[in-house]
Amino acid sequence: MKTQPIETQTVKRLITDQWAFCFNTQCPLASQCFRQISMQYKDADFHQGLAIYPDAVNNGDCHYFVRLKMVKTAWGMHNMLKHVECGKIGEVRQQLINYLGSISTFYRYNRGEKHLSSEQQQAIVGMLKDKGCSYVTFDHYEDEYMLTDQPIE
């Protein structure tokens, strides 16, 4: 598998104060695991913190395994919701509020303050299509790195 170089600022954005680095270079997942890769970006003046112990690997599997994955995120639903029929917009809005968890969360997503994951995009597109909406394009899209516990396909 060909890997793209990762920008330092992208890596540093993902390494929080509570980040646990992995020092186990013998791990069979080391070349894929962001905890191991992130060691290359550790600040030189950082001398203590959280770590994953070598015995975390059990039968080639590690509970703490994470990798970077490029995903296409969507931002904003405002333009898409303008295309919902007037008689159905209240019902659609309520269905989205229920799905997203609260009215304030709905408005954050609607205004494009929070990105929508692939799963959220699929669910929302499905809801709108079920209500007869044919315009199911979010306001804009961005490719972003996300951490996932899924192995590389």
Side-chain angles (χ1 to χ4, degrees):
M1 176 181 171
K2 198 173 189 179
T3 57
Q4 299 289 334
I6 305 165
E7 290 183 23
T8 301
Q9 68 186 34
T10 299
V11 173
K12 298 237 181 206
R13 176 182 59 85
L14 295 168
I15 299 173
T16 65
D17 292 341
Q18 296 300 308
W19 183 252
F21 291 98
C22 180
F23 300 88
N24 185 1
T25 57
Q26 302 305 312
C27 175
L29 301 170
S31 65
Q32 300 174 28
C33 185
F34 185 67
R35 293 188 187 282
Q36 179 66 226
I37 294 166
S38 66
M39 283 296 304
Q40 301 167 36
Y41 300 88
K42 184 184 79 58
D43 289 332
D45 59 346
F46 189 67
H47 301 292
Q48 68 174 9
L50 299 174
I52 306 302
Y53 297 152
D55 60 358
V57 179
N58 188 5
N59 295 325
D61 189 34
C62 180
H63 175 73
Y64 301 97
F65 172 84
V66 291
R67 73 173 180 97
L68 276 181
K69 180 179 180 182
M70 181 67 76
V71 294
K72 186 176 195 169
T73 58
W75 298 79
M77 300 181 285
H78 184 73
N79 292 326
M80 183 168 50
L81 292 178
K82 285 196 272 185
H83 289 84
V84 176
E85 291 178 37
C86 288
K88 296 181 181 178
I89 189 64
E91 185 180 345
V92 168
R93 184 177 287 123
Q94 189 58 54
Q95 194 174 8
L96 290 170
I97 290 167
N98 292 342
Y99 173 72
L100 295 170
S102 72
I103 194 164
S104 60
T105 303
F106 162 76
Y107 281 112
R108 284 187 198 104
Y109 282 113
N110 188 38
R111 289 188 301 256
E113 295 172 10
K114 294 180 73 163
H115 72 260
L116 291 152
S117 68
S118 298
E119 295 80 18
Q120 289 172 316
Q121 293 172 48
Q122 290 173 5
I124 291 168
V125 165
M127 287 178 214
L128 291 171
K129 284 186 175 181
D130 286 347
K131 298 298 179 192
C133 187
S134 59
Y135 183 87
V136 287
T137 303
F138 295 92
D139 295 350
H140 75 277
Y141 297 86
E142 292 178 16
D143 289 332
E144 287 187 47
Y145 279 110
M146 299 282 184
L147 294 175
T148 179
D149 61 356
Q150 300 302 308
I152 294 176
E153 293 89 31

